PDB file of all heavy atoms in Angstrom:
ATOM      1  N   ALA A  88      12.415 -15.619 109.006  1.00 98.00           N
ATOM      2  CA  ALA A  88      11.388 -16.654 109.140  1.00 98.00           C
ATOM      3  C   ALA A  88      11.838 -17.917 108.413  1.00 98.00           C
ATOM      4  O   ALA A  88      11.712 -19.041 108.923  1.00 98.00           O
ATOM      5  CB  ALA A  88      10.093 -16.172 108.553  1.00 98.00           C
ATOM      6  N   ARG A  89      12.411 -17.780 107.218  1.00 97.00           N
ATOM      7  CA  ARG A  89      12.827 -18.895 106.409  1.00 97.00           C
ATOM      8  C   ARG A  89      13.954 -19.697 107.140  1.00 97.00           C
ATOM      9  O   ARG A  89      14.253 -20.867 106.856  1.00 97.00           O
ATOM     10  CB  ARG A  89      13.347 -18.521 105.106  1.00 97.00           C
ATOM     11  CG  ARG A  89      12.147 -18.258 104.101  1.00 97.00           C
ATOM     12  CD  ARG A  89      12.711 -18.121 102.670  1.00 97.00           C
ATOM     13  NE  ARG A  89      11.957 -17.160 101.905  1.00 97.00           N
ATOM     14  CZ  ARG A  89      10.941 -17.568 101.114  1.00 97.00           C
ATOM     15  NH1 ARG A  89      10.581 -18.787 101.058  1.00 97.00           N
ATOM     16  NH2 ARG A  89      10.342 -16.614 100.379  1.00 97.00           N
ATOM     17  N   HIS A  90      14.709 -19.028 107.988  1.00 98.00           N
ATOM     18  CA  HIS A  90      15.878 -19.683 108.653  1.00 98.00           C
ATOM     19  C   HIS A  90      15.404 -20.300 110.007  1.00 98.00           C
ATOM     20  O   HIS A  90      16.248 -21.018 110.631  1.00 98.00           O
ATOM     21  CB  HIS A  90      17.028 -18.724 108.889  1.00 98.00           C
ATOM     22  CG  HIS A  90      17.812 -18.457 107.586  1.00 98.00           C
ATOM     23  ND1 HIS A  90      17.331 -17.583 106.577  1.00 98.00           N
ATOM     24  CD2 HIS A  90      18.978 -18.950 107.176  1.00 98.00           C
ATOM     25  CE1 HIS A  90      18.237 -17.665 105.621  1.00 98.00           C
ATOM     26  NE2 HIS A  90      19.260 -18.412 105.905  1.00 98.00           N
ATOM     27  N   LEU A  91      14.247 -20.049 110.450  1.00 98.00           N
ATOM     28  CA  LEU A  91      13.792 -20.531 111.796  1.00 98.00           C
ATOM     29  C   LEU A  91      13.871 -22.089 111.928  1.00 98.00           C
ATOM     30  O   LEU A  91      14.188 -22.506 113.056  1.00 98.00           O
ATOM     31  CB  LEU A  91      12.379 -19.976 112.158  1.00 98.00           C
ATOM     32  CG  LEU A  91      12.249 -18.568 112.618  1.00 98.00           C
ATOM     33  CD1 LEU A  91      10.859 -18.201 112.912  1.00 98.00           C
ATOM     34  CD2 LEU A  91      13.104 -18.260 113.806  1.00 98.00           C
ATOM     35  N   PRO A  92      13.638 -22.780 110.841  1.00 97.00           N
ATOM     36  CA  PRO A  92      13.755 -24.311 111.080  1.00 97.00           C
ATOM     37  C   PRO A  92      15.165 -24.711 111.305  1.00 97.00           C
ATOM     38  O   PRO A  92      15.401 -25.899 111.767  1.00 97.00           O
ATOM     39  CB  PRO A  92      13.261 -24.849 109.700  1.00 97.00           C
ATOM     40  CG  PRO A  92      12.545 -23.722 109.030  1.00 97.00           C
ATOM     41  CD  PRO A  92      13.163 -22.458 109.553  1.00 97.00           C
ATOM     42  N   PHE A  93      16.124 -23.895 111.053  1.00 98.00           N
ATOM     43  CA  PHE A  93      17.555 -24.197 111.267  1.00 98.00           C
ATOM     44  C   PHE A  93      18.112 -23.612 112.502  1.00 98.00           C
ATOM     45  O   PHE A  93      17.923 -22.422 112.760  1.00 98.00           O
ATOM     46  CB  PHE A  93      18.393 -23.785 110.048  1.00 98.00           C
ATOM     47  CG  PHE A  93      17.774 -24.110 108.730  1.00 98.00           C
ATOM     48  CD1 PHE A  93      17.333 -23.158 107.928  1.00 98.00           C
ATOM     49  CD2 PHE A  93      17.561 -25.450 108.370  1.00 98.00           C
ATOM     50  CE1 PHE A  93      16.620 -23.428 106.641  1.00 98.00           C
ATOM     51  CE2 PHE A  93      16.910 -25.736 107.171  1.00 98.00           C
ATOM     52  CZ  PHE A  93      16.426 -24.765 106.342  1.00 98.00           C
ATOM     53  N   ALA A  94      18.755 -24.450 113.353  1.00 98.00           N
ATOM     54  CA  ALA A  94      19.278 -23.889 114.618  1.00 98.00           C
ATOM     55  C   ALA A  94      20.557 -23.017 114.379  1.00 98.00           C
ATOM     56  O   ALA A  94      21.551 -23.511 113.928  1.00 98.00           O
ATOM     57  CB  ALA A  94      19.603 -25.055 115.528  1.00 98.00           C
ATOM     58  N   ILE A  95      20.311 -21.752 114.459  1.00 98.00           N
ATOM     59  CA  ILE A  95      21.473 -20.773 114.177  1.00 98.00           C
ATOM     60  C   ILE A  95      21.806 -20.046 115.497  1.00 98.00           C
ATOM     61  O   ILE A  95      21.015 -19.267 115.961  1.00 98.00           O
ATOM     62  CB  ILE A  95      21.060 -19.834 113.054  1.00 98.00           C
ATOM     63  CG1 ILE A  95      20.717 -20.596 111.813  1.00 98.00           C
ATOM     64  CG2 ILE A  95      22.267 -18.898 112.844  1.00 98.00           C
ATOM     65  CD1 ILE A  95      20.367 -19.679 110.605  1.00 98.00           C
ATOM     66  N   ALA A  96      22.972 -20.388 116.073  1.00 98.00           N
ATOM     67  CA  ALA A  96      23.448 -19.684 117.183  1.00 98.00           C
ATOM     68  C   ALA A  96      24.761 -18.989 116.806  1.00 98.00           C
ATOM     69  O   ALA A  96      25.023 -18.901 115.620  1.00 98.00           O
ATOM     70  CB  ALA A  96      23.699 -20.696 118.326  1.00 98.00           C
ATOM     71  N   THR A  97      25.502 -18.460 117.771  1.00 98.00           N
ATOM     72  CA  THR A  97      26.719 -17.720 117.386  1.00 98.00           C
ATOM     73  C   THR A  97      27.671 -18.510 116.526  1.00 98.00           C
ATOM     74  O   THR A  97      28.351 -17.976 115.600  1.00 98.00           O
ATOM     75  CB  THR A  97      27.376 -17.174 118.659  1.00 98.00           C
ATOM     76  OG1 THR A  97      26.467 -16.537 119.486  1.00 98.00           O
ATOM     77  CG2 THR A  97      28.510 -16.241 118.382  1.00 98.00           C
ATOM     78  N   ALA A  98      27.884 -19.769 116.908  1.00 98.00           N
ATOM     79  CA  ALA A  98      28.845 -20.665 116.184  1.00 98.00           C
ATOM     80  C   ALA A  98      28.438 -20.812 114.696  1.00 98.00           C
ATOM     81  O   ALA A  98      29.324 -20.674 113.837  1.00 98.00           O
ATOM     82  CB  ALA A  98      28.941 -21.957 116.829  1.00 98.00           C
ATOM     83  N   GLU A  99      27.183 -20.881 114.426  1.00 98.00           N
ATOM     84  CA  GLU A  99      26.688 -21.058 113.028  1.00 98.00           C
ATOM     85  C   GLU A  99      26.798 -19.738 112.290  1.00 98.00           C
ATOM     86  O   GLU A  99      27.246 -19.713 111.148  1.00 98.00           O
ATOM     87  CB  GLU A  99      25.207 -21.566 113.034  1.00 98.00           C
ATOM     88  CG  GLU A  99      25.036 -23.052 113.405  1.00 98.00           C
ATOM     89  CD  GLU A  99      25.242 -23.252 114.903  1.00 98.00           C
ATOM     90  OE1 GLU A  99      25.097 -22.394 115.698  1.00 98.00           O
ATOM     91  OE2 GLU A  99      25.636 -24.414 115.271  1.00 98.00           O
ATOM     92  N   ARG A 100      26.440 -18.686 112.901  1.00 98.00           N
ATOM     93  CA  ARG A 100      26.627 -17.367 112.344  1.00 98.00           C
ATOM     94  C   ARG A 100      28.077 -17.161 111.945  1.00 98.00           C
ATOM     95  O   ARG A 100      28.344 -16.704 110.835  1.00 98.00           O
ATOM     96  CB  ARG A 100      26.197 -16.254 113.359  1.00 98.00           C
ATOM     97  CG  ARG A 100      26.491 -14.890 112.904  1.00 98.00           C
ATOM     98  CD  ARG A 100      26.515 -13.796 114.003  1.00 98.00           C
ATOM     99  NE  ARG A 100      27.695 -13.970 114.865  1.00 98.00           N
ATOM    100  CZ  ARG A 100      27.864 -13.413 115.981  1.00 98.00           C
ATOM    101  NH1 ARG A 100      26.967 -12.526 116.426  1.00 98.00           N
ATOM    102  NH2 ARG A 100      28.965 -13.615 116.691  1.00 98.00           N
ATOM    103  N   ASP A 101      29.024 -17.465 112.882  1.00 98.00           N
ATOM    104  CA  ASP A 101      30.350 -17.197 112.649  1.00 98.00           C
ATOM    105  C   ASP A 101      30.982 -18.094 111.535  1.00 98.00           C
ATOM    106  O   ASP A 101      31.813 -17.739 110.802  1.00 98.00           O
ATOM    107  CB  ASP A 101      31.176 -17.315 113.859  1.00 98.00           C
ATOM    108  CG  ASP A 101      30.869 -16.115 114.872  1.00 98.00           C
ATOM    109  OD1 ASP A 101      30.269 -15.170 114.474  1.00 98.00           O
ATOM    110  OD2 ASP A 101      31.204 -16.218 116.035  1.00 98.00           O
ATOM    111  N   GLN A 102      30.431 -19.367 111.494  1.00 98.00           N
ATOM    112  CA  GLN A 102      30.845 -20.268 110.371  1.00 98.00           C
ATOM    113  C   GLN A 102      30.445 -19.668 109.034  1.00 98.00           C
ATOM    114  O   GLN A 102      31.147 -19.764 108.032  1.00 98.00           O
ATOM    115  CB  GLN A 102      30.337 -21.713 110.595  1.00 98.00           C
ATOM    116  CG  GLN A 102      31.122 -22.544 111.431  1.00 98.00           C
ATOM    117  CD  GLN A 102      30.631 -24.001 111.586  1.00 98.00           C
ATOM    118  OE1 GLN A 102      30.079 -24.500 110.557  1.00 98.00           O
ATOM    119  NE2 GLN A 102      30.756 -24.569 112.670  1.00 98.00           N
ATOM    120  N   TRP A 103      29.232 -19.200 109.001  1.00 98.00           N
ATOM    121  CA  TRP A 103      28.653 -18.708 107.768  1.00 98.00           C
ATOM    122  C   TRP A 103      29.477 -17.537 107.277  1.00 98.00           C
ATOM    123  O   TRP A 103      29.917 -17.466 106.095  1.00 98.00           O
ATOM    124  CB  TRP A 103      27.249 -18.367 107.959  1.00 98.00           C
ATOM    125  CG  TRP A 103      26.441 -18.077 106.626  1.00 98.00           C
ATOM    126  CD1 TRP A 103      25.580 -18.917 106.102  1.00 98.00           C
ATOM    127  CD2 TRP A 103      26.403 -16.924 105.820  1.00 98.00           C
ATOM    128  NE1 TRP A 103      24.991 -18.412 104.956  1.00 98.00           N
ATOM    129  CE2 TRP A 103      25.519 -17.106 104.742  1.00 98.00           C
ATOM    130  CE3 TRP A 103      27.150 -15.672 105.880  1.00 98.00           C
ATOM    131  CZ2 TRP A 103      25.342 -16.163 103.757  1.00 98.00           C
ATOM    132  CZ3 TRP A 103      26.851 -14.820 104.859  1.00 98.00           C
ATOM    133  CH2 TRP A 103      25.947 -14.996 103.862  1.00 98.00           C
ATOM    134  N   LEU A 104      29.822 -16.656 108.182  1.00 99.00           N
ATOM    135  CA  LEU A 104      30.574 -15.430 107.877  1.00 99.00           C
ATOM    136  C   LEU A 104      32.058 -15.802 107.483  1.00 99.00           C
ATOM    137  O   LEU A 104      32.589 -15.241 106.510  1.00 99.00           O
ATOM    138  CB  LEU A 104      30.623 -14.498 109.020  1.00 99.00           C
ATOM    139  CG  LEU A 104      29.230 -13.808 109.288  1.00 99.00           C
ATOM    140  CD1 LEU A 104      29.239 -13.064 110.670  1.00 99.00           C
ATOM    141  CD2 LEU A 104      28.860 -12.847 108.205  1.00 99.00           C
ATOM    142  N   ALA A 105      32.578 -16.807 108.116  1.00 99.00           N
ATOM    143  CA  ALA A 105      34.018 -17.139 107.797  1.00 99.00           C
ATOM    144  C   ALA A 105      34.044 -17.811 106.440  1.00 99.00           C
ATOM    145  O   ALA A 105      34.962 -17.600 105.695  1.00 99.00           O
ATOM    146  CB  ALA A 105      34.512 -18.132 108.821  1.00 99.00           C
ATOM    147  N   CYS A 106      33.022 -18.552 106.100  1.00 99.00           N
ATOM    148  CA  CYS A 106      32.933 -19.242 104.829  1.00 99.00           C
ATOM    149  C   CYS A 106      32.817 -18.147 103.753  1.00 99.00           C
ATOM    150  O   CYS A 106      33.483 -18.215 102.659  1.00 99.00           O
ATOM    151  CB  CYS A 106      31.699 -20.127 104.773  1.00 99.00           C
ATOM    152  SG  CYS A 106      31.645 -21.286 103.385  1.00 99.00           S
ATOM    153  N   MET A 107      31.964 -17.140 103.942  1.00 99.00           N
ATOM    154  CA  MET A 107      31.810 -16.052 103.029  1.00 99.00           C
ATOM    155  C   MET A 107      33.114 -15.272 102.807  1.00 99.00           C
ATOM    156  O   MET A 107      33.463 -14.862 101.709  1.00 99.00           O
ATOM    157  CB  MET A 107      30.586 -15.221 103.367  1.00 99.00           C
ATOM    158  CG  MET A 107      30.320 -14.108 102.371  1.00 99.00           C
ATOM    159  SD  MET A 107      29.951 -14.756 100.696  1.00 99.00           S
ATOM    160  CE  MET A 107      28.290 -15.308 100.805  1.00 99.00           C
ATOM    161  N   ALA A 108      33.766 -15.011 104.033  1.00 98.00           N
ATOM    162  CA  ALA A 108      35.005 -14.210 103.874  1.00 98.00           C
ATOM    163  C   ALA A 108      36.028 -14.983 103.000  1.00 98.00           C
ATOM    164  O   ALA A 108      36.749 -14.374 102.164  1.00 98.00           O
ATOM    165  CB  ALA A 108      35.564 -14.059 105.303  1.00 98.00           C
ATOM    166  N   ARG A 109      36.097 -16.336 103.126  1.00 98.00           N
ATOM    167  CA  ARG A 109      36.988 -17.104 102.397  1.00 98.00           C
ATOM    168  C   ARG A 109      36.569 -17.046 100.861  1.00 98.00           C
ATOM    169  O   ARG A 109      37.500 -16.904 100.003  1.00 98.00           O
ATOM    170  CB  ARG A 109      37.013 -18.505 102.815  1.00 98.00           C
ATOM    171  CG  ARG A 109      37.730 -18.800 104.125  1.00 98.00           C
ATOM    172  CD  ARG A 109      39.118 -19.377 103.899  1.00 98.00           C
ATOM    173  NE  ARG A 109      39.181 -20.595 103.078  1.00 98.00           N
ATOM    174  CZ  ARG A 109      38.967 -21.738 103.504  1.00 98.00           C
ATOM    175  NH1 ARG A 109      38.659 -21.994 104.788  1.00 98.00           N
ATOM    176  NH2 ARG A 109      38.980 -22.843 102.685  1.00 98.00           N
ATOM    177  N   ALA A 110      35.336 -17.133 100.564  1.00 98.00           N
ATOM    178  CA  ALA A 110      34.820 -17.114  99.243  1.00 98.00           C
ATOM    179  C   ALA A 110      35.113 -15.697  98.533  1.00 98.00           C
ATOM    180  O   ALA A 110      35.567 -15.691  97.411  1.00 98.00           O
ATOM    181  CB  ALA A 110      33.322 -17.346  99.133  1.00 98.00           C
ATOM    182  N   LEU A 111      35.077 -14.637  99.296  1.00 98.00           N
ATOM    183  CA  LEU A 111      35.362 -13.333  98.784  1.00 98.00           C
ATOM    184  C   LEU A 111      36.843 -13.198  98.512  1.00 98.00           C
ATOM    185  O   LEU A 111      37.250 -12.726  97.446  1.00 98.00           O
ATOM    186  CB  LEU A 111      34.924 -12.203  99.764  1.00 98.00           C
ATOM    187  CG  LEU A 111      33.358 -12.091  99.916  1.00 98.00           C
ATOM    188  CD1 LEU A 111      33.116 -11.081 101.037  1.00 98.00           C
ATOM    189  CD2 LEU A 111      32.690 -11.731  98.634  1.00 98.00           C
ATOM    190  N   ASP A 112      37.622 -13.720  99.434  1.00 98.00           N
ATOM    191  CA  ASP A 112      39.143 -13.769  99.191  1.00 98.00           C
ATOM    192  C   ASP A 112      39.459 -14.542  97.987  1.00 98.00           C
ATOM    193  O   ASP A 112      40.251 -14.032  97.117  1.00 98.00           O
ATOM    194  CB  ASP A 112      39.848 -14.370 100.420  1.00 98.00           C
ATOM    195  CG  ASP A 112      40.033 -13.460 101.552  1.00 98.00           C
ATOM    196  OD1 ASP A 112      39.944 -12.213 101.376  1.00 98.00           O
ATOM    197  OD2 ASP A 112      40.227 -13.982 102.633  1.00 98.00           O
ATOM    198  N   ASP A 113      38.913 -15.734  97.902  1.00 98.00           N
ATOM    199  CA  ASP A 113      39.234 -16.598  96.745  1.00 98.00           C
ATOM    200  C   ASP A 113      38.775 -16.027  95.424  1.00 98.00           C
ATOM    201  O   ASP A 113      39.291 -16.474  94.347  1.00 98.00           O
ATOM    202  CB  ASP A 113      38.642 -18.008  96.943  1.00 98.00           C
ATOM    203  CG  ASP A 113      39.267 -18.754  98.134  1.00 98.00           C
ATOM    204  OD1 ASP A 113      40.245 -18.263  98.700  1.00 98.00           O
ATOM    205  OD2 ASP A 113      38.755 -19.833  98.461  1.00 98.00           O
TER     206      ASP A 113
END
Side-chain angles (χ1 to χ4, degrees):
R89 280 192 213 268
H90 285 76
L91 283 179
F93 314 113
I95 302 179
T97 307
E99 287 73 24
R100 175 199 71 188
D101 290 346
Q102 273 184 34
W103 195 100
L104 290 168
C106 190
M107 184 56 79
R109 286 261 303 279
L111 294 174
D112 280 342
D113 292 354

